Amino acid sequence: MFLLALRSLKYRWAAFAATFIGMFLCSGIVIASGGILETGLRDEAPAERLQATPIVIAGDTVYPLPNNPVATLLERVHIDESLISTIQTVPGVLKALPDVSFPAAVVKDGATVNTGVESSGHGWSSAEMLPYALSSGAAPQSPGDVVLDKRSADAAGVTVGGEVKIAVRGTTETFRVTGIAEPGAAVNQAGLFFSPADVQRLIPDPGKVDNIGVFATPGTDVANLRQQLTTALAGKGTKVLTGDIRGHGEKPKTLEVTDLLIIGVLIGGLSTLAGLMGVASTLSLAFQQRQREMALLRSIGTTPRQLKRMIIGETIFVSLIATALSIFPGVLFGEVLYDRIVDTGLVAEGLAFHQGPIPTIVAALISLITSIGAASIAGRRVTKAKAIEALTDAEIQEYKSGKLRPIFAIVCFVISGSLIYVVQLANGPLKASPAIFSCIFAGIGLALLGPIVAKTTTRILGPLVRRTTGIAGYLASLNAQARVTQVAAVITPIMLVTGIATANLYATTTETAATETYTQELAHNVILQSGESGFAPEVLDEIRKVNGVDGASVFLTSAGFIESPADPWQGRDLGGSQIKGFNADAAAKVYGTSVVEGSFSDLVGDTVALTNTHAKDMGAKLGDTISIRMGDRGKVDLKVVALFTAKESFESIVMPAETLEAHTTLGRARFILVNPAAGADMGRLRADLTTAMSTVPGATIGDRKSLNGAFLHHLGAQALVTLLMIAMLVGYIAIQVINNLSLAITKRRREFGLQRLTGSTKDQVLRMTAIEGAQAGIIGIVLGTLITPLTLVPFSLARTGSPIPSGSPWMYIGVVLFAGLLAMGGTLLPTWLELRKSPLEASVVA
């Protein structure tokens, strides 16, 4: 039967091509998602600045939650420099050097010079870890000394012995250039090296370091030394990095791969589902058009098992070719997709992309299994039917619903409803995923009932179509009712395009609109934003002296985990609870929320303010002490001095700015909020504020969007990735629609020829098929529109309190126009191509 299947393929090139395209795209996208998933699972970040260091000791950013999920701490975890003495006692250690890194950039003419790469400051000991070598001058020894890398020196136009201005720690300082260093290996960073005294002054936490670089004695086994170091440093809050994971010490943000894993799973899962449905739809249409052939085979004694083997054999043959040809484009697309994800900022730069053979093989197997499953689903009716029934079906094509379709459809509807319930329970800034998947499962449920839905809706619309469109509509209505499977093959993808695209777009815009309320309490402020090094404390003092300033406070954001008392909210978001920091004397003026108990003016020292709902759920009250694990792993015990209100899902913890500042990577605030005095001249105020912060290169007057970016920087990136996913899925589904319509129209060649021989013109045939396409398109659009509110309304209610999602109606109009154009174009173009043949030729060839 397999040989028969191969021989028969050459007579059905249209069906072969349609099936091949669907499998090729499905396999390629799944392979691409496999690469993204492998990249996240491997989590490899090759060392760049520390590449000469075989072993890197870094702070452990992993934080285990009570209910088992593992979170990643938001800030860099510093480690005690005193651990160097412990490390040096381990046999096989040649030397151990401290490594620190902080924002620092050369300033020329009031602005930081453009070296084309990130610029940072380090101690001179860090230079040996690349390594850097002095090309001229000497190492920095005294306070005020600095060694510039050649790239920075050339950009600033300075030489050894000259002076240079450097933006560091929120202000601009002047240093003596004692040397110029050149890297001994390729590095995509600019390095400025300071004296030991200046390093201790400039780093946010004196006595702490970012990493400790360990050099082994010649002949020492690095793997064995790594194990010894792990044992020696047990319980010290460190991790020992070797090989291609040493880069995590340089860029801790590369450890945050949760989003990357989710993206890989989403793209792979959605592509598999779309592929299963798309290929099943195409195969179902192809097999249904071959019912006469199948009936004849059954009538001459072919068993259902033999037919099934033939169908599976054809599918495997096409799938193997499609999958094999999709491997290279899939791998290439995976790398391009990963680069775009990194460009958005959703994933930190530094992770090495991996597309090894295992995920590629697994993805190929998934595609193969998907196609075989689709073939089994599509060919089930043909193989189970009796010979006489098959012959009858070949003529009248009466649809008989299977017993399993309604059951699976009900399961999908139950899952969809459960996800809607999850939307109501979920908290945190990002809760769109359950809503989107709820829409997808509702669409799958309707897709499983596609033929039943098509049969019902075409019968309902039939009288209306016949009354309004004349004889062409009469024929179109009869055709639609007689070709339930073909109509369902068009309705289903149109419904999915409409439903998935609309749900994703409006969920994204609603999420964005809801997020804007996160900083709504700060809307009346003038917002000052620094460069990379933050604001020095004296800048705030200057700001407060400006005429027209009623109050000013620094503003910091971070995240942490409440450890005591037990926090029922912990674990709702793996990122932890949002923390905001203000100056106590101005917090009430710049933070426009309602205080229920206590006062923000008491936020001094080891104190904290909680939302009233959060405190109630924890059982905490005014005067109680809570323990918080901060983003740098530090633990603080804080007294509750105020309770305030906040919008649901956007609750946060508020603490003194100086307390929070000590537990952030930068150790400085990047924002200052200014509350203008009543009647202040805003133009004059902005000009004076610009002058007051002139010592901070790159400082600007921003808005609430810049604040949103401070603690929800990944929101816009996720929106871009969501749009990218929509584009891929919609594009894939669109191709399936065109495939199915082209396949269906090609099979009707004889019908069109006979119509024209009996007097119908080309225009009349085109009008008839246009009405058929419009009818199928309208049904698909309406069904897609109906399933969208099932998810968007609960999501919008939970997110904004309104049942109406945020976003322009033009988005929906655009989706509808695209779906309509897809249905009409996919119908009319192949019909027009078929009508180019003569009526007699068409009726005979078919």
Side-chain angles (χ1 to χ4, degrees):
M1 293 303 292
F2 185 73
L3 183 61
L4 178 62
L6 295 182
R7 290 177 176 175
S8 65
L9 284 177
K10 65 180 181 179
Y11 299 108
R12 294 186 301 277
W13 283 106
F16 173 87
T19 306
F20 172 84
I21 292 172
M23 292 178 178
F24 176 84
L25 292 173
C26 175
S27 177
I29 296 174
V30 173
I31 289 172
S33 68
I36 292 174
L37 196 58
E38 182 187 8
T39 300
L41 290 172
R42 285 201 178 197
D43 194 20
E44 291 183 0
E48 185 178 349
R49 189 173 52 80
L50 305 178
Q51 57 187 279
T53 315
I55 300 177
V56 175
I57 312 295
D60 188 4
T61 58
V62 173
Y63 181 77
L65 295 172
N67 53 349
N68 292 326
V70 174
T72 301
L73 296 172
L74 183 64
E75 310 292 346
R76 176 185 282 278
V77 176
H78 295 98
I79 56 179
D80 289 328
E81 189 173 5
S82 61
L83 291 178
I84 291 178
S85 59
T86 302
I87 293 169
Q88 288 176 331
T89 63
V90 177
V93 173
L94 177 65
K95 59 183 173 181
L97 301 175
D99 173 59
V100 295
S101 181
F102 49 89
V106 174
V107 175
K108 184 178 181 180
D109 299 329
T112 56
V113 298
N114 181 16
T115 59
V117 294
E118 179 184 355
S119 179
S120 55
H122 315 279
W124 180 243
S125 61
S126 298
E128 191 173 344
M129 299 183 188
L130 179 58
Y132 279 89
L134 286 169
S135 59
S136 60
Q141 300 291 337
S142 305
D145 291 350
V146 68
V147 170
L148 306 181
D149 74 312
K150 191 173 187 307
R151 184 164 8 198
S152 298
D154 291 343
V158 296
T159 57
V160 174
E163 292 188 340
V164 64
K165 291 184 177 181
I166 297 178
V168 62
R169 296 292 285 163
T171 188
T172 301
E173 298 185 19
T174 302
F175 292 84
R176 298 181 300 276
V177 180
T178 63
I180 306 295
E182 293 196 39
V187 60
N188 196 34
Q189 300 177 32
L192 314 181
F193 301 95
F194 298 86
S195 67
D198 280 334
V199 166
Q200 291 301 308
R201 179 176 62 86
L202 296 174
I203 61 177
D205 196 352
K208 302 276 189 177
V209 296
D210 296 347
N211 308 290
I212 297 175
V214 179
F215 291 84
T217 56
T220 300
D221 181 71
V222 173
N224 182 54
L225 180 56
R226 176 183 181 275
Q227 185 58 47
Q228 292 184 63
L229 287 169
T230 301
T231 302
L233 297 173
K236 304 295 185 181
T238 62
K239 55 187 175 183
V240 184
L241 309 176
T242 58
D244 284 339
I245 62 173
R246 290 172 296 159
H248 292 316
E250 297 181 44
K251 300 178 180 180
K253 290 291 184 184
T254 55
L255 290 167
E256 300 175 18
V257 296
T258 303
D259 287 333
L260 189 62
L261 293 173
I262 292 174
I263 291 170
V265 172
L266 280 176
I267 294 177
L270 291 178
S271 299
T272 301
L273 286 174
L276 178 63
M277 298 181 66
V279 174
S281 176
T282 303
L283 289 172
S284 178
L285 185 58
F287 292 151
Q288 207 241 332
Q289 291 177 350
R290 294 169 57 192
Q291 279 188 344
R292 182 183 294 276
E293 172 192 339
M294 301 296 182
L296 289 173
L297 288 172
R298 290 285 286 115
S299 68
I300 62 174
T302 305
T303 65
R305 184 175 181 180
Q306 288 175 317
L307 275 183
K308 186 174 183 179
R309 284 172 54 195
M310 186 186 75
I311 290 172
I312 298 296
E314 290 180 7
T315 306
I316 290 176
F317 178 74
V318 177
S319 181
L320 286 174
I321 296 176
T323 302
L325 293 178
S326 70
I327 291 176
F328 177 74
V331 172
L332 185 63
F333 178 61
E335 188 167 2
V336 172
L337 180 61
Y338 174 72
D339 290 340
R340 299 290 76 76
I341 293 172
V342 173
D343 290 343
T344 65
L346 189 60
V347 175
E349 185 178 358
L351 278 180
F353 177 77
H354 284 283
Q355 180 76 67
I358 293 178
T360 302
I361 293 172
V362 171
L365 287 175
I366 289 174
S367 301
L368 181 62
I369 293 170
T370 298
S371 60
I372 293 174
S376 299
I377 295 171
R380 185 174 179 273
R381 181 180 170 224
V382 175
T383 59
K384 293 293 183 182
K386 296 179 181 179
I388 187 64
E389 292 176 348
L391 285 168
T392 304
D393 283 347
E395 294 301 323
I396 64 175
Q397 297 182 350
E398 182 181 352
Y399 175 76
K400 298 176 183 178
S401 176
K403 295 179 181 179
L404 294 179
R405 276 179 174 262
I407 295 175
F408 286 131
I410 292 173
V411 171
C412 288
F413 291 140
V414 170
I415 294 174
S416 177
S418 301
L419 289 172
I420 292 174
Y421 180 68
V422 170
V423 170
Q424 304 303 309
L425 296 180
N427 282 281
L430 299 171
K431 54 191 284 186
S433 295
I436 293 170
F437 272 97
S438 174
C439 178
I440 291 173
F441 275 102
I444 293 173
L446 280 177
L448 289 169
L449 301 176
I452 299 175
V453 172
K455 187 175 182 179
T456 304
T457 52
T458 51
R459 284 184 176 179
I460 293 174
L461 288 178
L464 177 62
V465 171
R466 289 193 289 270
R467 290 194 195 100
T468 57
T469 56
I471 188 64
Y474 178 78
L475 292 175
S477 176
L478 292 180
N479 284 333
Q481 293 179 42
R483 293 183 174 85
V484 173
T485 305
Q486 292 95 322
V487 174
V490 178
I491 290 176
T492 297
I494 292 293
M495 174 192 66
L496 291 175
V497 165
T498 306
I500 292 176
T502 304
N504 275 270
L505 289 172
Y506 280 99
T508 301
T509 54
T510 301
E511 181 73 25
T512 302
T515 302
E516 292 179 356
T517 66
Y518 208 14
T519 54
Q520 199 168 37
E521 301 91 347
L522 312 174
H524 63 284
N525 297 297
V526 176
I527 300 171
L528 312 182
Q529 182 174 358
S530 74
E532 292 296 323
S533 60
F535 285 113
E538 53 267 25
V539 177
L540 177 62
D541 296 334
E542 293 299 317
I543 295 297
R544 288 178 168 180
K545 295 176 184 178
V546 173
N547 290 330
V549 173
D550 182 48
S553 169
V554 298
F555 176 63
L556 301 98
T557 60
S558 186
F561 301 87
I562 297 178
E563 294 187 337
S564 176
D567 184 9
W569 290 15
Q570 189 163 301
R572 295 191 313 182
D573 186 350
L574 293 182
S577 299
Q578 291 287 334
I579 303 176
K580 298 176 182 177
F582 299 95
N583 296 111
D585 55 356
K589 292 182 178 180
V590 299
Y591 192 35
T593 189
S594 300
V595 176
V596 178
E597 293 184 63
S599 172
F600 281 152
S601 61
D602 294 330
L603 283 170
V604 180
D606 296 332
T607 58
V608 69
L610 303 172
T611 63
N612 54 343
T613 53
H614 196 174
K616 180 181 178 181
D617 289 347
M618 284 195 303
K621 59 184 182 300
L622 210 65
D624 287 352
T625 298
I626 66 172
S627 297
I628 301 178
R629 184 67 61 180
M630 303 297 289
D632 67 341
R633 196 175 283 281
K635 184 178 179 180
V636 293
D637 296 323
L638 306 173
K639 179 183 178 182
V640 180
V641 296
L643 301 177
F644 61 97
T645 61
K647 182 179 176 59
E648 184 181 0
S649 297
F650 292 106
E651 298 91 347
S652 59
I653 298 170
V654 176
M655 61 176 57
E658 59 273 16
T659 302
L660 181 56
E661 189 176 68
H663 295 279
T664 60
T665 300
L666 184 59
R668 285 282 188 267
R670 293 194 61 191
F671 294 93
I672 293 178
L673 309 181
V674 176
N675 182 31
D681 184 338
M682 294 306 296
R684 176 66 181 272
L685 177 60
R686 286 176 175 268
D688 291 344
L689 290 173
T690 301
T691 302
M693 58 181 184
S694 59
T695 58
V696 186
T700 59
I701 297 179
D703 54 21
R704 283 200 298 143
K705 290 183 179 179
S706 56
L707 282 181
N708 284 333
F711 48 85
L712 286 176
H713 61 280
H714 54 303
L715 184 63
Q718 285 189 332
L720 290 176
V721 172
T722 298
L723 292 175
L724 183 61
M725 289 172 58
I726 293 174
M728 285 193 299
L729 288 174
V730 168
Y732 176 73
I733 295 172
I735 291 174
Q736 286 300 119
V737 173
I738 295 172
N739 276 347
N740 291 346
L741 286 170
S742 298
L743 190 60
I745 294 299
T746 301
K747 190 62 180 178
R748 297 174 66 184
R749 183 181 303 157
R750 184 170 183 269
E751 172 194 336
F752 294 157
L754 291 175
Q755 278 187 273
R756 293 168 64 192
L757 286 174
T758 55
S760 295
T761 65
K762 287 185 179 181
D763 289 342
Q764 287 174 324
V765 175
L766 278 172
R767 194 177 305 121
M768 178 192 71
T769 53
I771 294 171
E772 292 178 18
Q775 185 175 352
I778 290 171
I779 293 172
I781 291 170
V782 170
L783 291 176
T785 302
L786 289 177
I787 65 173
T788 302
L790 295 177
T791 58
L792 282 183
V793 170
F795 173 71
S796 184
L797 282 170
R799 214 71 183 94
T800 65
S802 170
I804 302 175
S806 303
S808 170
W810 285 105
M811 290 194 302
Y812 172 72
I813 294 173
V815 171
V816 170
L817 290 177
F818 176 80
L821 181 63
L822 198 58
M824 296 303 295
T827 301
L828 293 177
L829 180 59
T831 302
W832 177 76
L833 292 175
E834 288 298 329
L835 293 177
R836 295 172 64 186
K837 300 180 177 68
S838 67
L840 184 61
E841 178 188 0
S843 60
V844 172
V845 170

